[in-house]
Amino acid sequence: MATHRFQPTHYHTTLGPHAPVLRAAPGDTVITTCVDARGFDQHDQRVTAPGNPMTGPFFVEGAEPGDTLVVRLERLTPNRRRGWSGVLLAPNVLEPEHVPELARSGDFSARWNWAVDAEAGTARLDHPASPLHGFELALDPMLGCFGVAPEGGQAISTATSGPHGGNMDYRGFRAGVTVYLPVFEPGALFFLGDGHALQGDGEIAGTGIEISMDVQFSLELIKGQRIFWPRGEDEEFIFTAGNARPLDQCVQHATSEMLRWLETGYGIEPQHASLLMGQCVRYDLGNVFDPAYTMVCKMPKKLLGRLSR
Amino acid sequence: MATHRFQPTHYHTTLGPHAPVLRAAPGDTVITTCVDARGFDQHDQRVTAPGNPMTGPFFVEGAEPGDTLVVRLERLTPNRRRGWSGVLLAPNVLEPEHVPELARSGDFSARWNWAVDAEAGTARLDHPASPLHGFELALDPMLGCFGVAPEGGQAISTATSGPHGGNMDYRGFRAGVTVYLPVFEPGALFFLGDGHALQGDGEIAGTGIEISMDVQFSLELIKGQRIFWPRGEDEEFIFTAGNARPLDQCVQHATSEMLRWLETGYGIEPQHASLLMGQCVRYDLGNVFDPAYTMVCKMPKKLLGRLSR
Amino acid sequence: MATHRFQPTHYHTTLGPHAPVLRAAPGDTVITTCVDARGFDQHDQRVTAPGNPMTGPFFVEGAEPGDTLVVRLERLTPNRRRGWSGVLLAPNVLEPEHVPELARSGDFSARWNWAVDAEAGTARLDHPASPLHGFELALDPMLGCFGVAPEGGQAISTATSGPHGGNMDYRGFRAGVTVYLPVFEPGALFFLGDGHALQGDGEIAGTGIEISMDVQFSLELIKGQRIFWPRGEDEEFIFTAGNARPLDQCVQHATSEMLRWLETGYGIEPQHASLLMGQCVRYDLGNVFDPAYTMVCKMPKKLLGRLSR
Amino acid sequence: MATHRFQPTHYHTTLGPHAPVLRAAPGDTVITTCVDARGFDQHDQRVTAPGNPMTGPFFVEGAEPGDTLVVRLERLTPNRRRGWSGVLLAPNVLEPEHVPELARSGDFSARWNWAVDAEAGTARLDHPASPLHGFELALDPMLGCFGVAPEGGQAISTATSGPHGGNMDYRGFRAGVTVYLPVFEPGALFFLGDGHALQGDGEIAGTGIEISMDVQFSLELIKGQRIFWPRGEDEEFIFTAGNARPLDQCVQHATSEMLRWLETGYGIEPQHASLLMGQCVRYDLGNVFDPAYTMVCKMPKKLLGRLSR
């Protein structure tokens, strides 16, 4: 139950079987930092190249392919005052014939800054030329990209996502959440980064309010439990994430994974799981910006609690 | 500002340029009933053929193509005690290779009943053979299918949806919501039906808890305002619905329609609308069961209120 | 075995249960004309409104829901000298970020004319201002849109397609081809139009070389044979058309329909049909421009002939 | 202009920045062998693990990111007599509700053998228990999977495809074809394997007739020419391949890449390229089985020849 403090000196823009930066045992806690999506750190200095440079990988003792890695996101705190965001909605989230019209309607080339105050819990638009200068939003810090080394020795860009996690940009990956990831490589090799001070669903402008972060997480291991897609749990819901294109396929992965979870994790036979999901399921949208999109399938824990006897 | 009480004698399973059952003026209120998706009424008698038989159409005086019809859903009350739902998750929401496995795992052919108590606000599974018998869920009544006569003289099945509305199966279409629909035919020709006592996102088992309903709604008209997709408004959000396949295209329609609304309805220029949507937008899932799926794009009214000067 | 000569006086832009213009018996031949996609006839006069106005519907004696209508396209001849085409590739067939770039690169607003010579079998670009003026292509006349009244009393725009046929824009629907269509309404109610002097796959500029046509076809009926999607047959192949979005779903419909055809029409059991399709199937692309796209699944008749014992 | 003979001793199941097995100069020819998709060699011995083990990578002297690698496929010859194929159509190419029905209709678990005769140019089904035993098809040897190390230091599974090539399973990649690939890593790092004696479009049973092969190819380099997707050229057509999901997105990549090729490679301005593609383009289907599908956009060289002045 050690607590490791780790200060990264280099970063990765692929999730893959890279040399671990630290070895931790199940039960351990890690306190570290993440640079922002373009490689700028807590001092607002570029320390590595874009995009979505990852801290890690962390090697978890005893983790083997076929196990499940458990990561509890304990603390995600923006650690500088400048955040930034894109302005232009991604061409793939608009009607195709709308795309040239929007492009013609203004200058979308710049990134806009936000003044982030982690204590006050606010982000204010910091763009004096704009009539929206000073517009304030409530922080909801989250990690856009994290995951493990993928299956089969692959090294996959942090621009995209898959069964191993990756760039899912789901608002639900905030502090307090427990994440479950399939293990494909010995030690699991956990990576994390791409902090967002807050973000709209879909990350449709291609960014949240991007910022570097202080991060604390703990690690656990479920030996011999094979899962197929990232899973998570907060106070209200258990959830599963499907990462693919089109969104229809994300729905398929997330829904099948939830059905498997209800059956093997809660002992609910498929017929009843199917009936309950039909009337009680919720879906959230991760990003619709990256090469693979993300859709999340959720079931209320309160309801499942009433079933476990 | 008349109040019309209308008891349907026949129903439609297409939305199209059918003979109106009643003429109402903008400002009027209509109190009527809807049978369930299989044509059973408040006495649990089949009075018409499935599926999704519609009450209407209601002709709105003065409505012309290019206008916007405003429908305020004032009251949606289940008017009998038996609801029913499907058990089998739709094959299109599961991983393709999962479909035969689920089909083999049980008998999914029957529909299961629910005891619906509109006063208590509950639905309890009424299937004594099941270990889940008596399982209780909270009501959240909504309309699965409503809309106007589509563009170009079409008559489109109530199994699907489009710019004219139709079978969107979105939980957000509940009492208290104001809906906006494009007008394509003189009089708009508004239809409604397919009541759900409650429903999971996506209507992934192909049904909500299906039930007949007492319905009250009022009608208004916005002359000369052309919209492209159904819109809605509740206490917290304004929202737009895109109906298409795949879901990616639903996202495109809903997002473009929201951008248009922010620009023409709130005077927010595209650059700022784009910036704000990027960080503040929410998406909800309508059905992923029908020939056309539905995705809803939402913006918080509180936020928009701070922008209107 | 009568031959009907029919000169249309009005046209339809929906396929639906409209009043028949002519009643024909199985075995009969119909000789008629079709206007072009914008309603211009053989004299290059606009005689009806766009888009894709249909000649018909033709009522086939004895046709009942659950039967199969057989239409042999015997002659498709452009009957005037001016054809026209769009210039701009549809925004939905380009990479989203490519769309504004192409839009900026030139003026795509005009339609360009082609000099069509049906005897010589050529179309020459007739646009003196262009360096391509006089560029010649070989004719390959086809029908972009035809079909029957759809299921359930629907009337569906000629801009799109479905199980009933419609705007499939498949180059394989040329003279010499036999088409099979499911019957949904008494009399089947066959419509046709949208002649193309020639067309690229996908109709990616939104048009072929659009032209009015003289058309001859014969009608037959297969009683009690239910099919689910349009089918066709030429000298080399039998084929099935799936109409939906995304193309993945078109592939699904066309492939399932071919499997059904091999089983019920050729007596090949699913295991062998599956094996053969795996190694011998061909796919063609219909349009990727309309609300529903089209994909065609083909099997070589020579091969199937060797299996029928 | 050396000719290298290379006998592989190990194989890769990712395309990535692996240690080269041989260095070749532009102009050189390589003669080598490929095992089949499951790792069986010319002696029908398993020499490496599945799936799609690659021969290579070959380092091309002088190749730098931003260049184009040119590979001429000179000879692809099955080098043993046993081929094999899957029987079951992939669940993702069938209507979802058709999937359990097909699965129930027979036993699809086995792979079936084919007797391949490279001299005679035939494959005969070698499955005595089947009524189709002895059924003969004409060979059309091709490579299912080849490509270069992907962008950004990624290592991507040979089960899928992308801008770097990979598992495209396109019948058009046969002997006589010249392939163009973007270079992302120094030396390009060219891999190849997954020989098919023949294959249906889409590889819808998950395999072609899988076989090991003798392969000969030559290498060239175009310095400073950046392309975005694999391109190819045979006697009749130039073509571009888009690898993604859904197929609609494959169409987008392939179409945009063709437009770029016509503009920069043939000097045809976008407006005219757009006009010509609209009427003359052809599309072929690569696989619809893998995580990324493939669609190919083709333009006839004869037609382009008439434009180059």
Side-chain angles (χ1 to χ4, degrees):
Chain A
M1 303 273 285
T3 296
H4 308 268
R5 284 166 199 277
F6 173 72
Q7 178 57 40
T9 56
H10 63 282
Y11 300 84
H12 292 281
T13 54
T14 59
L15 304 189
H18 304 307
V21 293
L22 189 146
R23 300 174 84 93
D28 286 2
T29 295
V30 178
I31 298 174
T32 187
T33 62
C34 297
V35 294
D36 76 12
R38 298 180 61 235
F40 288 71
D41 70 2
Q42 62 265 42
H43 310 297
D44 220 345
Q45 299 298 313
R46 169 166 284 175
V47 295
T48 187
N52 293 342
M54 295 282 106
T55 297
F58 300 95
F59 185 103
V60 182
E61 306 283 358
E64 293 293 334
D67 296 340
T68 293
L69 176 67
V70 186
V71 181
R72 187 169 157 81
L73 302 175
E74 296 182 344
R75 206 154 45 77
L76 304 176
T77 313
N79 62 12
R80 70 171 193 236
R81 300 191 70 88
R82 186 186 67 96
W84 56 269
S85 68
V87 188
L88 181 62
L89 293 190
N92 51 304
V93 305
L94 296 172
E95 294 167 350
E97 58 277 12
H98 195 174
V99 174
E101 187 188 325
L102 180 63
R104 274 193 305 267
S105 74
D107 176 10
F108 295 91
S109 57
R111 296 183 195 87
W112 289 25
N113 288 330
W114 297 77
V116 172
D117 184 334
E119 273 107 76
T122 58
R124 276 181 302 103
L125 189 66
D126 183 17
H127 197 86
S130 162
L132 293 186
H133 178 66
F135 192 78
E136 189 179 291
L137 297 171
L139 294 197
D140 188 10
M142 51 159 282
L143 284 185
C145 184
F146 61 86
V148 294
E151 193 168 18
Q154 293 183 89
I156 293 182
S157 167
T158 53
T160 190
S161 60
H164 64 287
N167 199 23
M168 299 178 280
D169 297 305
Y170 171 49
R171 292 189 307 114
F173 289 130
R174 55 171 71 89
V177 164
T178 302
V179 178
Y180 304 89
L181 292 162
V183 177
F184 298 112
E185 289 281 333
L189 302 177
F190 179 68
F191 299 79
L192 74 171
D194 189 25
H196 296 168
L198 70 96
Q199 179 206 285
D201 282 354
E203 210 200 27
I204 61 175
T207 73
I209 297 185
E210 307 287 326
I211 200 154
S212 58
M213 281 202 181
D214 290 334
V215 175
Q216 177 180 321
F217 60 91
S218 63
L219 295 161
E220 277 294 348
L221 200 56
I222 306 175
K223 289 296 297 178
Q225 176 190 279
R226 191 176 174 209
I227 64 174
F228 295 86
W229 289 94
R231 298 177 176 183
E233 185 168 357
D234 61 19
E235 289 195 9
E236 257 189 286
F237 293 99
I238 62 169
F239 60 86
T240 54
N243 306 318
R245 267 206 199 185
L247 281 172
D248 309 21
Q249 191 180 337
C250 303
V251 168
Q252 293 175 346
H253 291 309
T255 307
S256 278
E257 186 71 4
M258 180 56 78
L259 206 53
R260 287 188 283 262
W261 196 353
L262 294 184
E263 187 174 6
T264 63
Y266 290 81
I268 308 174
E269 54 176 326
Q271 195 187 40
H272 295 125
S274 185
L275 174 88
L276 288 171
M277 287 177 66
Q279 302 313 320
C280 307
V281 80
R282 297 291 179 266
Y283 289 91
D284 283 348
L285 184 66
N287 89 70
V288 278
F289 175 75
D290 299 332
Y293 295 162
T294 293
M295 201 96 182
V296 170
C297 176
K298 309 195 300 185
M299 284 291 282
K301 290 165 79 166
K302 193 173 59 177
L303 181 154
L304 297 173
R306 283 159 46 201
L307 289 173
S308 50
R309 278 168 269 244
Chain B
M1 304 274 284
T3 295
H4 308 267
R5 285 167 197 276
F6 173 72
Q7 178 56 43
T9 54
H10 63 281
Y11 299 85
H12 292 280
T13 55
T14 59
L15 304 189
H18 305 308
V21 294
L22 188 147
R23 300 174 84 93
D28 286 1
T29 294
V30 178
I31 297 175
T32 187
T33 64
C34 298
V35 294
D36 76 12
R38 299 180 60 236
F40 287 72
D41 70 2
Q42 63 264 43
H43 309 298
D44 220 346
Q45 300 299 314
R46 171 165 284 175
V47 295
T48 186
N52 293 343
M54 295 282 106
T55 298
F58 300 95
F59 185 102
V60 182
E61 307 282 358
E64 292 293 332
D67 296 341
T68 293
L69 175 68
V70 187
V71 181
R72 189 171 156 79
L73 302 176
E74 296 182 345
R75 205 156 44 81
L76 303 176
T77 312
N79 61 12
R80 70 173 193 236
R81 299 191 70 89
R82 185 185 68 97
W84 56 269
S85 69
V87 188
L88 181 63
L89 293 190
N92 50 306
V93 305
L94 295 172
E95 294 168 349
E97 60 276 13
H98 195 172
V99 174
E101 187 188 325
L102 181 63
R104 275 193 305 267
S105 75
D107 176 10
F108 295 91
S109 56
R111 295 183 195 87
W112 290 23
N113 288 331
W114 297 76
V116 173
D117 183 333
E119 273 107 75
T122 57
R124 275 180 302 105
L125 189 65
D126 183 17
H127 196 84
S130 163
L132 292 186
H133 178 66
F135 193 79
E136 188 178 292
L137 297 171
L139 295 197
D140 187 10
M142 51 160 283
L143 284 185
C145 184
F146 60 86
V148 293
E151 194 168 18
Q154 292 183 91
I156 293 182
S157 166
T158 52
T160 191
S161 59
H164 64 286
N167 198 22
M168 298 178 281
D169 296 305
Y170 171 48
R171 292 190 307 113
F173 289 129
R174 56 171 70 89
V177 163
T178 302
V179 178
Y180 304 89
L181 293 163
V183 177
F184 298 113
E185 289 281 332
L189 302 178
F190 179 68
F191 299 79
L192 76 169
D194 189 24
H196 297 168
L198 70 97
Q199 179 206 287
D201 282 356
E203 209 200 27
I204 61 174
T207 73
I209 295 184
E210 306 288 326
I211 200 154
S212 57
M213 282 202 181
D214 290 333
V215 174
Q216 176 179 322
F217 60 92
S218 63
L219 295 161
E220 278 293 348
L221 200 57
I222 307 176
K223 290 296 295 177
Q225 176 191 279
R226 191 176 174 208
I227 64 175
F228 295 86
W229 290 93
R231 298 177 176 183
E233 186 168 357
D234 61 19
E235 288 195 10
E236 258 190 283
F237 293 98
I238 60 168
F239 61 86
T240 54
N243 305 319
R245 267 205 198 186
L247 281 173
D248 309 22
Q249 191 180 335
C250 303
V251 168
Q252 293 175 346
H253 292 310
T255 308
S256 278
E257 186 72 4
M258 180 56 78
L259 207 52
R260 287 189 283 261
W261 194 354
L262 295 184
E263 188 174 4
T264 61
Y266 290 81
I268 307 174
E269 54 175 325
Q271 196 187 40
H272 295 125
S274 186
L275 173 89
L276 287 170
M277 286 177 66
Q279 302 313 319
C280 306
V281 80
R282 296 292 179 263
Y283 289 91
D284 283 347
L285 185 65
N287 88 71
V288 279
F289 175 75
D290 299 332
Y293 295 162
T294 294
M295 200 95 182
V296 170
C297 177
K298 309 195 300 185
M299 284 292 281
K301 290 165 79 168
K302 191 172 61 176
L303 182 153
L304 298 173
R306 285 157 49 202
L307 288 172
S308 50
R309 277 167 271 242
Chain C
M1 303 274 285
T3 296
H4 308 266
R5 284 166 198 277
F6 173 73
Q7 178 57 42
T9 54
H10 62 282
Y11 300 85
H12 292 281
T13 55
T14 59
L15 305 189
H18 304 307
V21 293
L22 187 147
R23 299 175 84 94
D28 287 1
T29 294
V30 177
I31 297 174
T32 187
T33 63
C34 298
V35 294
D36 76 13
R38 298 180 61 237
F40 287 72
D41 70 2
Q42 63 264 42
H43 310 297
D44 222 344
Q45 300 298 314
R46 169 165 284 175
V47 295
T48 186
N52 293 343
M54 294 283 106
T55 298
F58 299 96
F59 186 102
V60 182
E61 307 282 359
E64 293 293 333
D67 296 340
T68 293
L69 176 67
V70 187
V71 181
R72 190 171 155 79
L73 303 176
E74 296 182 344
R75 205 154 45 78
L76 303 175
T77 312
N79 62 12
R80 71 173 193 235
R81 301 193 68 90
R82 185 186 68 98
W84 57 269
S85 69
V87 188
L88 180 63
L89 294 190
N92 51 305
V93 305
L94 296 172
E95 294 168 349
E97 59 277 12
H98 194 171
V99 173
E101 187 188 325
L102 180 63
R104 275 192 305 268
S105 75
D107 176 11
F108 295 91
S109 56
R111 296 184 195 87
W112 289 24
N113 287 330
W114 298 77
V116 172
D117 184 333
E119 273 108 74
T122 58
R124 275 178 303 103
L125 189 66
D126 183 17
H127 197 84
S130 162
L132 292 186
H133 179 66
F135 193 78
E136 188 179 292
L137 296 171
L139 294 197
D140 187 11
M142 52 161 281
L143 284 185
C145 184
F146 61 87
V148 294
E151 194 168 17
Q154 293 183 89
I156 293 182
S157 166
T158 52
T160 190
S161 59
H164 64 287
N167 198 21
M168 299 179 279
D169 297 306
Y170 171 47
R171 291 190 307 113
F173 288 130
R174 57 170 70 88
V177 164
T178 302
V179 178
Y180 304 88
L181 293 163
V183 176
F184 297 112
E185 289 281 334
L189 302 177
F190 179 68
F191 299 79
L192 75 170
D194 190 24
H196 296 169
L198 70 96
Q199 180 205 287
D201 282 355
E203 209 201 27
I204 61 175
T207 73
I209 296 184
E210 307 287 327
I211 200 154
S212 58
M213 281 202 181
D214 291 333
V215 174
Q216 177 180 321
F217 60 92
S218 63
L219 296 161
E220 277 293 349
L221 199 57
I222 307 177
K223 290 297 296 178
Q225 177 190 280
R226 192 177 172 208
I227 63 175
F228 295 85
W229 290 93
R231 298 177 175 182
E233 186 169 357
D234 62 19
E235 288 196 9
E236 257 189 285
F237 293 99
I238 61 169
F239 60 87
T240 55
N243 306 318
R245 267 204 198 188
L247 280 173
D248 308 23
Q249 191 180 336
C250 303
V251 168
Q252 293 175 346
H253 292 309
T255 307
S256 278
E257 186 72 4
M258 180 57 77
L259 206 53
R260 287 188 283 261
W261 194 354
L262 294 184
E263 189 174 3
T264 61
Y266 290 81
I268 307 175
E269 55 176 323
Q271 196 186 41
H272 295 126
S274 185
L275 174 89
L276 288 171
M277 286 176 66
Q279 302 312 321
C280 307
V281 78
R282 297 291 178 264
Y283 289 91
D284 283 347
L285 185 65
N287 89 70
V288 279
F289 175 76
D290 299 332
Y293 295 163
T294 294
M295 200 94 181
V296 170
C297 176
K298 309 196 299 184
M299 283 291 281
K301 291 166 78 168
K302 191 171 61 175
L303 181 153
L304 297 174
R306 282 158 49 201
L307 289 173
S308 49
R309 277 168 272 243
Chain D
M1 304 273 286
T3 296
H4 308 268
R5 284 168 198 276
F6 173 73
Q7 177 56 41
T9 56
H10 63 281
Y11 300 85
H12 293 281
T13 55
T14 59
L15 304 190
H18 304 308
V21 293
L22 188 146
R23 298 175 83 93
D28 286 1
T29 295
V30 178
I31 298 174
T32 188
T33 63
C34 298
V35 294
D36 76 12
R38 298 180 61 236
F40 287 72
D41 71 2
Q42 63 265 42
H43 309 298
D44 220 346
Q45 300 298 313
R46 170 166 284 175
V47 295
T48 188
N52 293 342
M54 296 281 107
T55 298
F58 300 96
F59 185 103
V60 182
E61 307 282 359
E64 292 293 333
D67 296 340
T68 293
L69 176 67
V70 187
V71 181
R72 187 171 157 81
L73 302 175
E74 295 182 344
R75 205 155 46 77
L76 304 176
T77 312
N79 62 12
R80 70 172 193 236
R81 300 192 70 89
R82 186 186 68 97
W84 55 270
S85 69
V87 187
L88 181 62
L89 293 191
N92 51 305
V93 305
L94 295 172
E95 294 169 349
E97 59 276 13
H98 194 174
V99 174
E101 187 188 325
L102 180 64
R104 274 193 305 268
S105 74
D107 176 11
F108 295 90
S109 56
R111 295 183 195 86
W112 289 24
N113 287 331
W114 297 77
V116 172
D117 184 334
E119 273 107 75
T122 58
R124 275 180 302 104
L125 189 66
D126 184 16
H127 197 85
S130 163
L132 291 187
H133 178 65
F135 193 77
E136 189 179 292
L137 297 171
L139 295 197
D140 187 10
M142 52 159 281
L143 284 184
C145 183
F146 61 86
V148 295
E151 193 167 19
Q154 292 183 90
I156 293 182
S157 167
T158 52
T160 191
S161 59
H164 64 286
N167 198 23
M168 298 179 281
D169 297 305
Y170 171 49
R171 292 190 307 113
F173 289 130
R174 56 170 69 88
V177 163
T178 301
V179 178
Y180 304 88
L181 293 162
V183 177
F184 297 112
E185 289 282 333
L189 301 177
F190 179 67
F191 300 79
L192 75 170
D194 189 23
H196 296 168
L198 70 96
Q199 179 205 286
D201 281 356
E203 209 200 27
I204 60 174
T207 74
I209 296 184
E210 307 287 326
I211 200 154
S212 59
M213 281 201 181
D214 291 332
V215 174
Q216 177 179 321
F217 60 91
S218 63
L219 296 161
E220 277 294 348
L221 200 57
I222 307 175
K223 290 297 296 178
Q225 175 191 280
R226 192 177 173 206
I227 64 175
F228 296 85
W229 290 93
R231 298 177 176 182
E233 185 168 356
D234 61 18
E235 288 195 10
E236 258 189 285
F237 292 99
I238 62 169
F239 61 87
T240 55
N243 305 318
R245 267 206 200 185
L247 281 173
D248 309 22
Q249 191 180 337
C250 303
V251 167
Q252 292 175 346
H253 292 309
T255 307
S256 278
E257 186 72 5
M258 180 56 78
L259 206 52
R260 288 188 282 262
W261 195 353
L262 295 183
E263 187 174 5
T264 61
Y266 290 82
I268 307 175
E269 54 175 325
Q271 196 187 40
H272 295 126
S274 186
L275 174 88
L276 287 170
M277 287 177 66
Q279 302 312 321
C280 306
V281 79
R282 297 291 179 264
Y283 289 90
D284 283 346
L285 185 66
N287 88 71
V288 277
F289 174 76
D290 300 331
Y293 295 162
T294 294
M295 200 95 182
V296 170
C297 176
K298 309 194 301 185
M299 283 291 282
K301 291 165 78 167
K302 192 172 61 177
L303 180 154
L304 298 173
R306 284 157 48 200
L307 289 172
S308 50
R309 277 165 273 242

